[in-house]
Structure formats: C-alpha cells, structure tokens
Amino acid sequence: MKSTFVVPDGLEPAERVADAPAPGDRMPSHNPMCFGCGPDAPNGLHFDARAGEGMAIAGEMIVEPHFEGGPGMIHGGILSSAFDEIMGMNVMLMGVTAVTAVLNVDFAKPIQLGSRLRFSTEILGTQRRKVYVRAVAHLIDDEGRSGDEVGGAHGLFIVVDPSIHFRESRARSQFASPRFGA
C-alpha cells in the first residue's frame, strides 16, 4: 500500500518506558468511556490491543453492525477512528500523552460487517514533541490467521501536557482521569 504521508529523515528512536505493558499484555484504556479503547463505551470499537516487542502493539476488533456505512460495509470513518485509536495507544508505550495532529488513511479493500480485523502498528520515531506512527489492518480468517490487507495509515501525534491541553474540556468528560489532568 502506497501512502502520500511523508515521514521526515533523521527521526530519533522512540523509547519505551519501564512501566509500559509487557509484550503480550493488554494495553490499558485511558478512559473507560473512550469510543476507541473504552470498555464502557456502549457503541465503541472495543479494541483488544496488546503490547508487542519494542515500540509495536497489535489489536483486534469485530466490525459490528452499528459500524455500517455502505450497505453491509464498514463506514470509512469507523476504520479511520480505529487507526487513530490503535496508533494513539501505541504512543502510550512512551509514557506520554499525545494527540492526533495528522491522520492519513489508505483504504485498500471494502470491509464487510461481521469481519474480524487485526491491526499492527509501530512508532517510526520522534522529532521533539512529534511522534510518527504507522499501522496496517488485515482481515482475520476463521482460524485466526491474518489475511488480506484492507488498509493502512500513518499518523503524526503531538505530545501535550494533559493538565493544560484538557483543562477546559475536562468538566464535560463522562470520566475524570488523573492521566489527563483531572
């Protein structure tokens, strides 16, 4: 899959913090009501994301009927949200809070409702407060093996101070999290 996203040369390697989830461990939710990773979000993506080796994570989700866009297919915005979520979770391995600045999604194939998707993602590197990430999604067959690639994404995330960045929006949250300056 070819992307128009440009990753700059000379990136610094990202560093995994000592208390990051161990490879194979489930990635924590930053907010139980988060549409992407929150277990309590009634119509959320309900990702099962696991830490990988180095600066990588992988996640799986089922394409639920309420994710429908075109007849019988996932809505492109849902797939974009899934890429945004899994790449944002990847940045958590660095022990920082970061927000999406750029999200570039390449849609390779239509995805039918009821499909199981596997996402893999890795941090490409950093440049001051910027974190560059890429991800790919594959269909999962009935035996749990990755099949056709259905999309790819690149993202640019900006590291923020949560007590400043979320200061005004915090009062509207359904959940107050110390991680986000509550």
Side-chain angles (χ1 to χ4, degrees), residues 100-161:
T100 311
V102 176
L103 176 64
N104 183 302
V105 178
D106 295 309
F107 301 93
K109 293 185 177 185
I111 303 167
Q112 294 184 12
L113 298 179
S115 298
R116 289 177 50 214
L117 298 176
R118 178 172 292 136
F119 294 80
S120 57
T121 180
E122 66 176 330
I123 296 176
L124 301 173
T126 66
Q127 190 178 66
R128 292 177 299 283
R129 293 178 40 224
K130 298 176 182 177
V131 183
Y132 292 85
V133 186
R134 77 169 159 217
V136 65
H138 291 89
L139 291 174
I140 302 174
D141 68 18
D142 291 339
E143 286 80 43
R145 296 180 304 241
S146 290
D148 290 344
E149 184 176 318
V150 294
H154 284 87
L156 168 60
F157 293 79
I158 306 297
V159 175
V160 298
D161 177 336

Side-chain angles (χ1 to χ4, degrees), residues 85-108:
E85 185 63 31
I86 195 79
M87 290 190 296
M89 290 178 89
N90 198 167
V91 176
M92 292 170 64
L93 293 176
M94 296 172 56
V96 299
T97 299
V99 295
T100 311
V102 176
L103 176 64
N104 183 302
V105 178
D106 295 309
F107 301 93

